[in-house]
Amino acid sequence: MAKKIIIAIDGWSSCGKSTLAKQLAKKLGYVYVDSGAMYRAITLYFLRNNIDWRSKKEVQAALKEIHLDFRFNPKNASSEMYLNDENVEYVIRDLVIAEKVSDVAAIREVRAFAVAQQQKMGDNKGIVMDGRDIGTVVFPKAELKIFMTADNAVRVERRFRELYEQNPNISIEEVKYNLEMRDYIDSHREVSPLRKADDAIVLDNTSLSEKEQFEKALSWVRERKAIQKI
Ligand code: CDP
């Protein structure tokens, strides 16, 4: 039996972390967890309920009302984010959420709330999680840590294409502004800033195809003997 490991994938906004994480999870029969979806869902709740997130008291009270879980959708074979039993997988991708999520994710209480749940999901290993602090804070002992990056222009173009499909009124300038703003806030916040873990492998996919990046990552999994046939 191949041993089960934890794979932590961190990196800048929109550099293909979830694509790679999903591919690896599928290949290995692991659970995939999109930690960013949790911060997006919390942000959605705060916006809908007019929570003043500068108030510690309001944040603490709001978090008590939030139940998050991922449910597998057999129709598209992927797990989807539920907020208090409502499927919010699609609504949380909106730019309205992306404009606020980094401010919400910088709040200490919000991070403690999300990280505790994420760590629990890793209890039995066999998990691929992507985010900003997975290799540094959530799973500092993960057997494989990947830090992804890609040229800014490539990241903007990729995210623009994704969002344009949902909303043709979107402009490339607003997408660019949002990615730059989130990268700045995420890497400069006091609590768990985005940074490469010392033992993470850098994967720059600017000029790699999805297949090439997948093969590379798979070879790192093999090195950790987490695949039966090598
Ligand atoms: O898909 P993309 O890389 O653009 O972002 P995401 O993974 O959906 O994450 C959205 C936001 O959540 C990030 O910009 C961070 O502010 C926050 N986040 C975080 O702080 N820590 C994580 N582990 C994951 C996301």
Side-chain angles (χ1 to χ4, degrees), residues 3-27:
K3 64 170 182 176
K4 282 191 174 175
I5 64 169
I6 293 182
I7 303 177
I9 304 183
D10 289 302
W12 303 98
S13 300
S14 193
C15 58
K17 298 182 297 291
S18 68
T19 304
L20 177 63
K22 279 181 200 164
Q23 287 173 323
L24 285 173
K26 191 169 173 213
K27 171 81 183 174

Side-chain angles (χ1 to χ4, degrees), residues 9-18 32 34-40 43 92-93 98 100-106 111 115 118 129-134 138 155 159 162 178-179 182-183 185-186 189 191-192 194:
I9 304 183
D10 289 302
W12 303 98
S13 300
S14 193
C15 58
K17 298 182 297 291
S18 68
Y32 161 62
D34 171 2
S35 70
M38 299 172 71
Y39 294 99
R40 286 173 180 266
T43 304
I92 57 173
R93 306 295 157 192
K100 303 288 179 215
V101 64
S102 287
D103 290 334
V104 170
R111 300 209 71 80
V115 169
Q118 291 155 5
M129 192 177 290
D130 77 327
R132 303 292 187 285
D133 61 341
I134 311 305
V138 180
R155 298 197 281 125
R159 183 53 52 96
E162 272 170 31
N178 180 258
L179 291 195
R182 283 198 289 131
D183 284 346
I185 300 174
D186 293 346
R189 67 186 176 215
V191 202
S192 317
L194 165 66

Side-chain angles (χ1 to χ4, degrees), residues 9-10 14-24 130 144 146-150 154 158 201-222:
I9 304 183
D10 289 302
S14 193
C15 58
K17 298 182 297 291
S18 68
T19 304
L20 177 63
K22 279 181 200 164
Q23 287 173 323
L24 285 173
D130 77 327
L144 175 60
I146 301 175
F147 189 86
M148 289 182 64
T149 180
V154 171
R158 284 180 191 154
I201 308 173
V202 175
L203 177 58
D204 182 337
N205 66 11
T206 307
S207 45
L208 291 182
S209 68
E210 271 180 31
K211 188 166 184 289
E212 287 167 331
Q213 90 171 6
F214 177 58
E215 292 298 332
K216 237 180 214 290
L218 215 49
S219 73
W220 299 328
V221 176
R222 285 202 179 91

